[in-house]
Amino acid sequence: MIPKALILHATGTNRDHEAAQAFELAGAQPEIVHLNQLRSGERRWADYQILALAGGFSYADALGAGRLLALDLSAYFADEVQRFVESDQPVIGICNGFQALVKAGILPGDGGQGAMPAGAAQTRAATLDFNAGGHFECRWTLLKPASQRCIWTRRMEELVYCPIAHGEGRFSVADEALLGRLAAQDQVALTYCLPDGSPAGGQYPHNPNGSSADIAGICNPAGNVLGLMPHPEDHLFDYQHPRWTRGQAGQKGLPLFINGVKYAKGLLP
Amino acid sequence: MSPKNLNIYRFVVRARRSNDPRSASYLQDAHALGIQAIQTLECQDLYFIEGQVDPAGLEHLATQVLSDPITQTVEWGRIVSAPGPQPQAGEGQVIEVALRPGVTDPVAAQVVRAARVLGIQGVAQASTGLRFLVGGELDEAGLHLLARRLLANPTIQRYALGQLEPVFPHPAEASGQVEQLPVRHLDEAGLLALSAERRAALDLAEMQAVQAYFEKEGREPTDVEIETIAQTWSEHCVHKTFRARIHIHSRQPAAGGAVINGLLKTYIRAATQQIDAPWVRSAFVDNAGIIDFDDEYEVSFKVETHNHPSAIEPFGGANTGVGGVIRDVLGVSAKPIAATDVLCFGPQDTPVESLPEGVLHPRRIQSGVVAGVQDYGNKIGIPTVNGAILYDEGYTANPLVFCGCVGLAPKDSHPRTPQPGDHVIVLGGGTGRDGLRGATFSSMTMDAQTGEVSGASVQIGDPITEKGLIEVVLRARDQKLYHAVTDCGAGGLSSAVGEMSSQVGAEIELKRVRLKYPGLAPWEIWLSEAQERMVLAVPSEHLPALQALCDIYDVELTDIGTFTGRGRLVVGYDGRTVLDLENHFLHEGIPQRQLEAIIPAPAVVESIPLPNEQDPAQTLLALLAEPNTASKAAVIRIYDHEVQGGTVVKPLTGAQNDGPSDACVLKPIGTRGRGGIVLSNGINPEYGKRDAYRMALSVVDEAMRNAVAVGADPARVALLDNFCWGDPRRPETLGSLVEAARGCYDAAVYYGAPFISGKDSLNNEYLGSDGQRHAIPPTLLISALGLIEDVRKAVTMDLKEPGNLLYLVGEFLPAAAGASRVPDLAPSSAAIYHALHRSMRYGLVRACHDLSEGGLALAAAEMCIGGRLGLALNCPDLPLFAETNGCLLAEVRPADAPAFEAAFASMANPAYRQIGLVSAEPYLAVPGAGLQVAVEKLAAAWKRTPSHSSREHL
């Protein structure tokens, strides 16, 4: 079976083509679908086995990155998204997609049920704040896959090298205790790290935005939903590596997508 | 002010963090602009809602839409007369800022939409603002100064000390008014007075042509007609100066003889015709120049300027500049895949007191322009991959903002011919008074208290609306739904529909145009420069399919008329004909301008001191830290240069991703082969001041050698020209323009690099209140669009391995002292670039970097920084800092040296010499010159890291 990946396009999404390319290379059949096509019934959620919320500036980041997309998800597709999440299908939100998943209360999904409870947004415990540097930044970052619970990062040995491109990526929590719970529940999927894999320790530019506990990506308690700020879909080929002319290669983003597709096929241990 | 029965609610959103980065950045800017008394500054968000909303709805809106519960707090209330949340005691003073009514406010539109999505009833309108809590010893005058200097720009914003009263756009009386403007009886003075009154910028000969036309038609023109002719015949649209007949006065006759019949025809297009490259698909005809990419695709490129808007409203000016050039590329049915920006500003340390009255500080202009480029490019998802930033006092009152866009399209997919019967379809945003006749109108709108809806002469862009246009137009292209497409730019519909119908004719009903708000007169609808609109020629049978695409992507579609075969442009409003002009007159009727030029002799510049070769280390470190040469990473990194996943050679490169690339290499997503696109530029205002002809040669050469340095095939480079000059009615100014155009021709023909598109921005002068003219240095930007056969053969500028050899490639011919000190083109450069390219194709070159400002020493230092490796140079006879054209440094493995040298064997003159060795010792060393500097010191100076001060690192 070749799983079908729904690459969600909201008004202002712009990294959908790269996400589609990543899923195609990983062995899925991606389709970029606008929210309106799902609202009108022209496309049906049930026809897809993977859900990807791609990067970009949905609704121009008005009122905070991802917030209005989160509102759309809650208002129009609460049941469909909940079904995707609860039926243990792979879901990934990259950059703006991560922001939307957090602001919709789907991530970190604290409480264990991994679903979007009614009124989740009021009670949510985490957010993605403005970068500590105070502005948008585009630079390559090293990520350490840190969770075995997360199906997207499970058994990944190699670090991932890929760019960030955001102004609101600083993972922040209302209560520091949440950080401990996320770690204890193995929900910290990806952290910003140094070249030897050790923690960035909040140090700029390794941790590019001041995220708490160097968190670049988190998963829900069940492990099937991953959200991350950096763009693994922008490092699929050797020639994208910033130092390929110096003979450097590897640390691509593709293994994440391969994991997700394998999981959808029931092939991930 | 507000209609009866509607309340106004006010929401104030504050960051919970005490050290919120946005507030910190405002405070830093305030100090940099000389307002030292301010000690604290806290920035908050303001929202205003007009409507009838119940308390639960307000709370819902406040907590679910307007604020983030983790990082922000929110207070709200109904505005009764003045109250609402007031600053708590001890918080200091308050300045509140909001957009003027009529200025695009995409956030406000989203607030209304979000309320609808959430099912909150009664939200009629919204508006946004910022609230600043100011701490420190500022009196009222000090607060006004802070507001004017930093927080509010009167062009688009208004402010109040204390609480600001919100203003919402409310319908004014619908007008429908059309004036007759009698011209037939006017004498010369009367014609000129009419031109001035309508701000038409038409000269006597042009006004007489208008008069003759209406005498022939036997009637008087309407205001719609006069405005349309003025727009169609404007410098912006028809390039009057570049088409003018120029009478040359000079002791040495110029190449074109004593009379030049059009600079464009004589020099720019002539070069393209002379070169006659078979891979040029479109030059100077479409909205963008187009060349072949591979068997499947073609690539287009356009560079525009947005100088005056950026001077008065830096964010909005640059923002809409980027948006406009992206639409140019969409206007050739291409997918926008890369953006470029070249920016010229006044020195950032200009004393505030020295600024001419009414001029924004260069620091504020730079931060606004950079933010404007960032906002549009990042949000629309187009990587900003190449550019430059230059500083010169001449740009203080007149910054230059060049915005470029590259597009990719399947070959032969761009239809160009509207058919009679096709519908005239407008896609995109609504039409307002945006940009109408610039300053006159905006000054009428300054009084926001009237609540009148007015257009500002500069608008804020809306990249997300334009993103929707891209989604729809590209799909419509693939489904072959239209016969022609163009963008709405300067002149709005009048220009877009006018151009599209110039070979056929069209009939338009202005009443059908979708307006942002009512009350526009017909000429305003027709001329409005509202952003984010495209015009398409669509046959009836394809309208449903186009509408279906628009429904998916939330794009508005309006059918405003039909194309005809009648050779006339006819515009109606509510059944009345308000414009009826012959196409031939409108597009061919403009008389050729007659201009006088005096060719200036190149300046002899004894006064500019040569770099100090006696203390080369000090000179080098100072050069590295000089604003024009120092690292631009702080700007580059706030542009997204990775989106679309095709950036193969990035703007910053090397061992620590911080070395300055010569050019960008792109491998567009979706293309099958290994081929790539190379983008580079050349610009040198310093040379422009001294010798316009050699400046043009030099900047063409710079663009070429930058492209070649990363691996572009010199046989496949196309050029774009952008001239920014002063007032061409001054013969000396026009003379230097003539010389630059002549240089363009000579250099393009020499390199076989055709011009495919160009643009000129003239009259870049500012009359200060001191009565002084502040003119820019003559500035020519050459943008190069090159191809590379295999992106895996691209070369970056960072040194790669110790033990490799460093070659100087090219003829080292610095300009002689006593002349203009602008170097010539070396006769062998073209052949050398081809030879260098051959050696790159064989993989013989490990690193390559061009010599430009700062000469050999600066190029070598940058290569060291890029690779964090040392370099030992042995070239005692070469001046370290002299500037020359045609030269590059190339790093070659010892084993490859014979093959590399053989590539140059056929040259008449020695085209290369080995001048050094890459070393693991982290020093740039030139023993003969007494130069030895640690690479980390070079890097610290160049990156202007805080630890750097020029002396302590020696």
Side-chain angles (χ1 to χ4, degrees):
Chain A
M1 180 212 55
I2 296 178
K4 287 182 77 176
L6 192 169
I7 316 289
L8 192 67
H9 182 116
T11 296
T13 299
N14 65 32
R15 269 182 164 88
D16 44 349
H17 290 279
E18 291 124 278
Q21 190 174 37
F23 277 105
E24 192 170 357
L25 288 171
Q29 184 190 336
E31 187 186 1
I32 296 170
V33 179
H34 197 285
L35 268 176
N36 289 340
Q37 292 172 288
L38 292 162
R39 284 189 70 192
S40 69
E42 184 188 330
R43 293 288 185 280
R44 300 184 319 150
W45 289 84
D47 293 335
Y48 302 90
Q49 293 78 47
I50 299 171
L51 170 62
L53 284 76
F57 287 83
S58 55
Y59 305 108
D61 273 5
L63 302 168
R67 195 185 295 168
L68 292 170
L69 175 55
L71 193 63
D72 280 0
L73 293 177
S74 309
Y76 303 131
F77 304 119
D79 294 345
E80 289 86 347
V81 173
Q82 184 167 343
R83 213 171 299 132
F84 235 100
V85 171
E86 289 188 345
S87 62
D88 204 25
Q89 288 178 299
V91 177
I92 188 169
I94 305 172
C95 196
N96 194 237
F98 182 27
Q99 291 160 337
L101 288 176
V102 168
K103 291 177 184 185
I106 299 168
L107 284 176
D110 195 36
Q113 74 275 41
M116 178 165 44
Q122 283 127 325
T123 57
R124 67 190 159 83
T127 195
L128 292 153
D129 197 4
F130 293 96
N131 294 351
H135 53 77
F136 180 100
E137 193 150 343
C138 178
R139 65 164 62 244
W140 283 64
T141 54
L142 260 180
L143 310 176
K144 187 179 173 65
S147 168
Q148 294 306 309
R149 177 169 296 263
C150 176
I151 61 111
W152 298 87
T153 56
R154 193 173 292 168
R155 298 192 184 188
M156 275 183 65
E157 302 284 327
E158 199 181 23
L159 303 181
V160 176
Y161 192 43
C162 66
I164 57 147
H166 62 245
E168 299 178 41
R170 183 182 193 180
F171 185 77
S172 306
V173 293
D175 176 1
E176 294 285 314
L178 176 62
L179 296 175
R181 284 206 302 284
L182 290 177
Q185 294 174 145
D186 201 14
Q187 284 180 258
V188 179
L190 293 154
T191 53
Y192 299 110
C193 69
L194 302 178
D196 64 2
S198 60
Q203 187 195 337
Y204 178 87
H206 306 285
N207 174 338
N209 52 29
S211 286
S212 293
D214 296 328
I215 288 176
I218 53 169
C219 67
N220 62 341
N224 62 317
V225 182
L226 169 67
L228 75 167
M229 287 312 300
H231 292 284
E233 77 278 25
D234 280 346
H235 190 189
L236 305 173
F237 305 105
D238 287 340
Y239 61 73
Q240 291 170 322
H241 193 296
R243 294 184 298 280
W244 70 266
T245 60
R246 304 182 70 77
Q248 297 188 23
Q251 302 180 330
K252 292 198 181 96
L254 190 59
L256 281 167
F257 298 96
I258 291 176
N259 263 5
V261 174
K262 271 190 184 167
Y263 192 76
K265 290 177 173 174
L267 297 177
L268 190 76
Chain B
M1 197 179 65
S2 173
K4 280 186 184 131
N5 305 324
L6 289 183
N7 292 321
I8 294 176
Y9 308 97
R10 172 186 158 98
F11 301 76
V12 181
V13 178
R14 307 180 63 159
R16 286 184 196 269
R17 278 185 211 280
S18 53
N19 55 346
D20 118 79
R22 179 173 64 166
S23 299
S25 151
Y26 275 112
L27 182 62
Q28 197 190 347
D29 284 345
H31 289 156
L33 291 172
I35 307 173
Q36 300 298 335
I38 174 169
Q39 282 162 358
T40 61
L41 190 64
E42 184 189 333
C43 177
Q44 308 170 349
D45 288 297
L46 279 178
Y47 300 96
F48 301 102
I49 301 286
E50 186 184 60
Q52 278 287 6
V53 188
D54 62 30
L58 291 175
E59 181 175 353
H60 210 173
L61 208 53
T63 59
Q64 298 286 289
V65 175
L66 302 179
S67 68
D68 184 307
I70 315 279
T71 55
Q72 294 169 327
T73 61
V74 57
E75 294 174 62
W76 66 94
R78 185 164 70 92
I79 299 183
V80 184
S81 52
Q86 287 292 333
Q88 290 149 24
E91 278 188 316
Q93 290 153 299
V94 174
I95 299 172
E96 294 189 353
V97 179
L99 292 174
R100 291 180 175 281
V103 175
T104 306
D105 186 349
V107 177
Q110 289 300 337
V111 172
V112 177
R113 193 191 75 92
R116 206 170 57 228
V117 173
L118 277 171
I120 299 169
Q121 304 291 320
V123 174
Q125 298 200 76
S127 70
T128 68
L130 290 173
R131 179 168 193 264
F132 298 92
L133 290 187
V134 183
E137 299 292 309
L138 269 78
D139 56 12
E140 196 171 314
L143 290 170
H144 281 292
L145 187 70
L146 173 66
R148 284 198 307 269
R149 212 174 260 180
L150 179 65
L151 305 179
N153 185 334
T155 306
I156 57 161
Q157 291 164 315
R158 59 208 177 84
Y159 73 91
L161 303 188
Q163 195 162 307
L164 184 90
E165 200 174 340
V167 181
F168 297 91
H170 286 297
E173 276 302 299
S175 113
Q177 198 187 338
V178 177
E179 264 184 79
Q180 297 287 326
L181 299 175
V183 293
R184 288 184 291 175
H185 69 285
L186 293 177
D187 60 8
E188 294 187 357
L191 287 171
L192 286 173
L194 179 64
S195 170
E197 184 199 322
R198 299 300 297 195
R199 300 172 54 81
L202 297 176
D203 70 9
L204 183 60
E206 289 155 356
M207 286 302 291
Q208 283 168 334
V210 173
Q211 188 177 42
Y213 175 79
F214 286 99
E215 268 164 14
K216 195 190 81 187
E217 293 272 304
R219 64 180 176 89
E220 298 294 352
T222 65
D223 55 356
V224 185
E225 289 173 322
I226 290 291
E227 295 286 346
T228 301
I229 294 165
Q231 192 59 55
T232 310
W233 291 4
S234 68
E235 183 70 82
H236 188 92
C237 291
V238 290
H239 307 286
K240 291 189 259 210
T241 302
F242 269 72
R243 290 174 197 273
R245 176 177 286 268
I246 299 173
H247 304 264
I248 304 285
H249 305 274
S250 170
R251 277 166 307 217
Q252 319 117 315
V259 173
I260 295 173
N261 190 14
L263 287 175
L264 195 61
K265 193 157 62 174
T266 308
Y267 293 126
I268 310 296
R269 282 187 176 177
T272 305
Q273 283 158 5
Q274 173 82 25
I275 295 162
D276 195 23
W279 41 268
V280 171
R281 298 184 71 80
S282 169
F284 298 103
V285 178
D286 291 303
N287 283 342
I290 308 175
I291 63 172
D292 281 333
F293 177 65
D294 59 13
D295 293 339
E296 214 173 338
Y297 290 100
E298 59 188 30
V299 54
S300 44
F301 194 13
K302 174 67 170 278
V303 178
E304 276 275 14
T305 49
H306 229 211
N307 303 334
H308 185 61
S310 302
I312 58 174
E313 208 310 90
F315 180 91
N319 203 236
T320 52
V322 175
V325 79
I326 292 170
R327 287 196 302 282
D328 278 327
V329 161
L330 193 57
V332 293
S333 302
K335 176 188 178 187
I337 59 166
T340 66
D341 66 284
V342 173
L343 312 173
C344 302
F345 303 119
Q348 297 295 286
D349 56 0
T350 302
V352 177
E353 311 73 50
S354 73
L355 289 175
E357 177 71 25
V359 169
L360 298 176
H361 192 274
R363 187 185 154 96
R364 190 169 167 199
I365 293 179
Q366 169 162 334
S367 66
V369 164
V370 168
V373 172
Q374 170 209 353
D375 179 79
Y376 215 100
N378 292 358
K379 284 183 178 167
I380 203 166
I382 298 172
T384 301
V385 293
N386 186 255
I389 303 178
L390 297 101
Y391 300 100
D392 188 285
E393 282 168 12
Y395 300 125
T396 299
N398 254 295
L400 302 183
V401 174
F402 301 87
C403 306
C405 185
V406 179
L408 190 75
K411 281 189 174 174
D412 299 318
S413 63
H414 174 51
R416 294 176 168 89
T417 318
Q419 302 295 321
D422 284 352
H423 294 251
V424 181
I425 299 297
V426 180
L427 296 184
T431 297
R433 289 203 172 99
D434 320 37
L436 278 178
R437 292 165 77 196
T440 317
F441 219 97
S442 69
S443 65
M444 287 162 61
T445 73
M446 289 300 173
D447 180 11
Q449 296 309 315
T450 62
E452 190 182 55
V453 177
S454 309
S457 58
V458 184
Q459 283 288 315
I460 306 281
D462 183 0
I464 301 308
T465 296
E466 190 148 309
K467 181 70 165 49
L469 290 176
I470 296 174
E471 304 287 349
V472 168
V473 169
L474 296 184
R475 284 171 177 81
R477 174 200 72 194
D478 291 344
Q479 296 176 30
K480 301 193 188 309
L481 299 184
Y482 59 82
H483 288 146
V485 57
T486 195
D487 74 303
C488 270
L493 291 172
S494 78
S495 169
V497 177
E499 274 173 37
M500 277 176 101
S501 65
S502 64
Q503 302 302 314
V504 280
E507 289 182 11
I508 302 297
E509 172 49 61
L510 287 179
K511 198 86 184 183
R512 294 199 213 151
V513 174
R514 196 171 60 85
L515 302 182
K516 291 181 183 175
Y517 37 80
L520 274 67
W523 75 266
E524 295 176 318
I525 301 172
W526 186 232
L527 271 296
S528 162
E529 298 186 0
Q531 300 289 309
E532 287 94 24
R533 298 177 301 165
M534 300 291 290
V535 181
L536 284 73
V538 183
S540 297
E541 65 268 28
H542 292 152
L543 275 179
L546 184 63
Q547 183 65 59
L549 280 176
C550 289
D551 290 345
I552 292 175
Y553 292 97
D554 288 330
V555 168
E556 297 280 351
L557 178 156
T558 320
D559 182 350
I560 64 164
T562 48
F563 289 95
T564 67
R566 294 176 41 224
R568 294 185 79 87
L569 182 60
V570 181
V571 178
Y573 182 86
D574 213 8
R576 282 176 295 154
T577 298
V578 299
L579 176 149
D580 185 353
L581 295 173
E582 210 176 68
N583 272 346
H584 184 77
F585 164 71
L586 188 56
H587 297 287
E588 311 292 335
I590 180 172
Q592 189 180 27
R593 279 216 164 156
Q594 308 287 322
L595 295 170
E596 309 286 317
I598 296 174
I599 304 295
V604 176
V605 282
E606 296 299 352
S607 57
I608 297 179
L610 280 170
N612 179 3
E613 305 252 350
Q614 301 310 309
D615 188 355
Q618 176 58 30
T619 304
L620 177 57
L621 289 169
L623 256 177
L624 282 164
E626 206 273 323
N628 278 305
T629 39
S631 170
K632 307 296 186 295
V635 172
I636 292 169
R637 293 232 173 273
I638 68 169
Y639 300 149
D640 189 342
H641 47 265
E642 295 289 354
V643 63
Q644 300 195 19
T647 316
V648 177
V649 171
K650 307 175 196 301
L652 295 169
T653 192
Q656 297 190 16
N657 299 351
D658 62 359
S661 290
D662 291 272
C664 159
V665 179
L666 293 172
K667 161 98 178 70
I669 192 169
T671 56
R672 276 190 259 252
R674 289 172 178 158
I677 293 166
V678 176
L679 299 173
S680 67
N681 67 75
I683 183 169
N684 198 318
E686 200 49 52
Y687 289 178
K689 294 177 205 169
R690 300 183 221 155
D691 185 338
Y693 174 75
R694 285 190 181 78
M695 177 273 280
L697 299 180
S698 298
V699 298
V700 170
D701 184 68
E702 185 186 11
M704 286 297 295
R705 66 179 190 266
N706 276 322
V708 168
V710 298
D713 178 356
R716 293 294 297 273
V717 177
L719 303 176
L720 278 67
D721 63 85
N722 283 85
F723 292 86
C724 287
W725 243 254
D727 185 348
R729 285 169 304 185
R730 258 204 322 247
E732 298 79 8
T733 303
L734 185 59
S736 70
L737 188 62
V738 169
E739 283 295 89
R742 184 167 72 88
C744 283
Y745 174 86
D746 287 352
V749 169
Y750 171 65
Y751 281 117
F755 286 101
I756 57 168
S757 171
K759 209 74 181 168
D760 50 273
S761 164
L762 307 175
N763 305 310
N764 284 289
E765 301 195 357
Y766 180 91
L767 188 63
S769 58
D770 49 1
Q772 300 262 314
R773 298 162 77 92
H774 305 265
I776 61 162
T779 308
L780 168 63
L781 169 67
I782 296 291
S783 305
L785 168 63
L787 298 185
I788 178 170
E789 299 89 337
D790 182 347
V791 295
R792 299 170 310 169
K793 294 285 162 61
V795 176
T796 53
M797 52 69 69
D798 45 312
L799 293 175
K800 301 296 188 303
E801 297 107 14
N804 286 349
L805 311 177
L806 192 77
Y807 284 86
L808 173 66
V809 176
E811 277 187 78
F812 194 83
L813 288 176
S820 68
R821 268 198 227 132
V822 179
D824 261 313
L825 276 189
S828 57
S829 290
I832 286 170
Y833 292 173
H834 282 271
L836 179 61
H837 179 64
R838 276 194 301 277
S839 63
M840 287 180 170
R841 288 177 70 171
Y842 290 116
L844 304 176
V845 179
R846 292 292 293 139
C848 187
H849 194 34
D850 89 310
L851 267 62
S852 56
E853 290 92 337
L856 175 62
L858 198 75
E862 288 177 345
M863 292 181 83
C864 291
I865 294 168
R868 292 299 197 279
L869 287 170
L871 198 51
L873 297 183
N874 181 22
C875 48
D877 57 317
L878 294 180
L880 285 174
F881 301 102
E883 295 180 4
T884 165
N885 288 322
C887 287
L888 303 100
L889 296 175
E891 178 192 357
V892 178
R893 290 192 182 100
D896 293 329
F900 177 78
E901 294 184 9
F904 298 90
S906 60
M907 312 273 130
N909 293 318
Y912 63 87
R913 62 186 270 194
Q914 195 224 313
I915 61 164
L917 271 176
V918 182
S919 119
E921 291 291 307
Y923 291 93
L924 173 62
V926 190
L931 175 77
Q932 170 148 334
V933 189
V935 172
E936 282 309 324
K937 284 178 189 168
L938 297 174
W942 185 67
K943 296 171 84 171
R944 301 174 68 148
T945 44
S947 67
H948 167 70
S949 82
S950 51
R951 275 285 161 198
E952 79 190 46
H953 285 270
L954 286 178

